[in-house]
Amino acid sequence: MPTQPLRPGALQWQVFRGSEAVARGLLTGHQLRSKAWVRIRHDVYADARLDRDHRLACRATMARLPDTDAVLAGPSAAYLHGVRHAAGVDDEVHVIVPIDRRASSQRGICLHRVLLDLADTQVVDGMPATTPPRTAWDVAVWRPLTESVPLIDSLLRLGRVTPEQLSQAANRLSRRPGGRRAQHAFDLADLGAPSRAESELRMRLILSGLPRPVAQPQLPMPDGTTLRPNLAWPAHRVAIEYGGVRDAGPQELDRQRFDALVFDGWRVLHVTGHRVRHDFPAVVRQARDALRAQARRAPPIGRCEAVDHRRELVP
């Protein structure tokens, strides 16, 4: 039988400083390089059986920043609050450190020296992190809209934060640097967004100059069911169905329902991830042409009405 790797009890399932483990006599330098351990950051190791995710990177970062009052923030805090697409194990870990506290920049760590109220912090998974409202605010200030809004959408969808809490945070922090930027991101966030991909598509359409689409509007169908396209401009009766990675049965049923939607005077655009990644200008042109064409038509008499009837001019 192969020899089992040596794992002292004090280090099992832990993240630790390699130099300290050697100094305490728990491991030798040679043993530290065995397959029992994995190096996460400079001089920071972990039990190789732990999941390689951003939480592990956060634990390694906190081990690198002892006695600094560092608080996990931004995308890193969003990950701890349940937004798994916020960051990966190899991504930078974002932390806030007090303005008057000495802490040197280190590879894999993004330091932010900003004011942080005690009320904006909490303990998550045994580590200090910003609260969901403050996390959303920091993400909005630090990241571009195509990244920040999908993260905020996810926090809303997971129930980690409410629109009311976002509004309170925006008002309370409005005089801080980035206050207007955060408010803009909060205004664009949508509780109805079901996925990161759809949130990113919505933001890219908006930033391309199109009117703001509604995420997952409820469209009552003639047969009494409700259809919820991924994105729609209800006032123009234009909808976008994004993706297509569904089972054949439900997909065929949706096609039948979209046929009924088209019969009621709607334009339905089917957009794939491949087109978004490789030919997005064509997606924008198609959506703009559909909106312009529908704007020139009188609204048809039909039974499909949506919850949002705002009409905006199409540039």
Side-chain angles (χ1 to χ4, degrees):
M1 294 180 60
T3 303
Q4 293 297 318
L6 174 65
R7 289 190 176 95
L11 299 180
Q12 289 192 26
W13 305 105
Q14 300 300 313
V15 176
F16 57 93
R17 296 290 291 269
S19 58
E20 292 180 2
V22 172
R24 292 169 57 190
L26 296 174
L27 293 171
T28 66
H30 176 72
Q31 291 168 337
L32 192 60
R33 293 188 291 272
S34 75
K35 64 180 181 180
W37 317 107
V38 59
R39 182 179 181 274
I40 307 300
R41 294 288 190 269
H42 174 67
D43 195 36
V44 179
Y45 294 80
D47 190 322
R49 296 171 295 181
L50 290 169
D51 292 335
R52 294 290 305 275
D53 55 20
H54 195 67
R55 180 178 181 273
L56 186 62
C58 290
R59 292 179 63 184
T61 294
M62 299 312 289
R64 286 289 301 165
L65 298 172
D67 305 322
T68 61
D69 293 329
V71 176
L72 295 162
S76 298
Y79 182 91
L80 295 180
H81 288 303
V83 183
R84 294 297 180 249
H85 65 78
V89 66
D90 296 322
D91 290 329
E92 283 189 322
V93 174
H94 291 256
V95 296
I96 292 177
V97 295
I99 296 176
D100 59 350
R101 188 59 58 89
R102 293 186 62 183
S104 59
S105 298
Q106 302 178 35
R107 184 177 181 181
I109 303 175
C110 185
L111 294 176
H112 302 271
R113 297 182 183 278
V114 296
L115 293 175
L116 181 62
D117 301 329
L118 183 61
D120 285 333
T121 66
Q122 65 181 96
V123 176
V124 184
D125 287 343
M127 294 175 283
T130 53
T131 61
R134 177 58 192 249
T135 298
W137 195 87
D138 288 328
V139 164
V141 173
W142 298 342
R143 311 304 296 171
L145 289 172
T146 51
E147 296 180 25
S148 65
V149 173
L151 289 181
I152 298 168
D153 284 352
S154 295
L155 289 170
L156 287 167
R157 184 174 65 253
L158 293 169
R160 301 296 189 268
V161 70
T162 65
E164 292 74 22
Q165 290 173 325
L166 291 181
S167 178
Q168 292 169 3
N171 291 333
R172 180 169 57 86
L173 302 170
S174 62
R175 296 185 181 276
R176 303 276 180 91
R180 290 185 179 180
R181 181 184 179 92
Q183 182 64 70
H184 184 44
F186 288 175
D187 290 341
L188 292 173
D190 196 318
L191 178 61
S195 70
R196 172 188 181 181
E198 292 175 26
S199 293
E200 291 177 349
L201 173 59
R202 187 179 85 252
M203 286 310 308
R204 291 185 66 182
L205 291 170
I206 293 172
L207 294 175
S208 295
L210 295 179
R212 177 178 177 175
V214 181
Q216 296 278 310
Q218 298 185 30
L219 306 179
M221 300 301 297
D223 61 1
T225 59
T226 299
L227 181 63
R228 301 185 64 167
N230 300 128
L231 296 170
W233 292 271
H236 297 83
R237 304 175 81 84
V238 174
I240 287 182
E241 180 64 1
Y242 178 53
V245 288
R246 300 178 179 175
D247 294 334
Q251 185 176 19
E252 180 59 29
L253 181 59
D254 278 347
R255 288 189 181 279
Q256 294 175 10
R257 291 178 179 175
F258 278 119
D259 287 344
L261 194 60
V262 172
F263 182 77
D264 249 11
W266 282 68
R267 292 279 296 273
V268 179
L269 311 178
H270 295 275
V271 178
T272 64
H274 179 82
R275 290 189 63 202
V276 170
R277 290 189 299 272
H278 301 288
D279 196 13
F280 187 70
V283 174
V284 174
R285 288 194 299 271
Q286 185 181 16
R288 181 178 286 114
D289 290 345
L291 289 167
R292 286 173 173 170
Q294 291 291 87
R296 289 193 292 266
R297 296 179 55 186
I301 299 176
R303 288 176 289 180
C304 271
E305 299 297 336
V307 294
D308 190 320
H309 296 277
R310 295 171 295 179
R311 180 175 290 275
E312 301 180 60
L313 295 177
V314 183

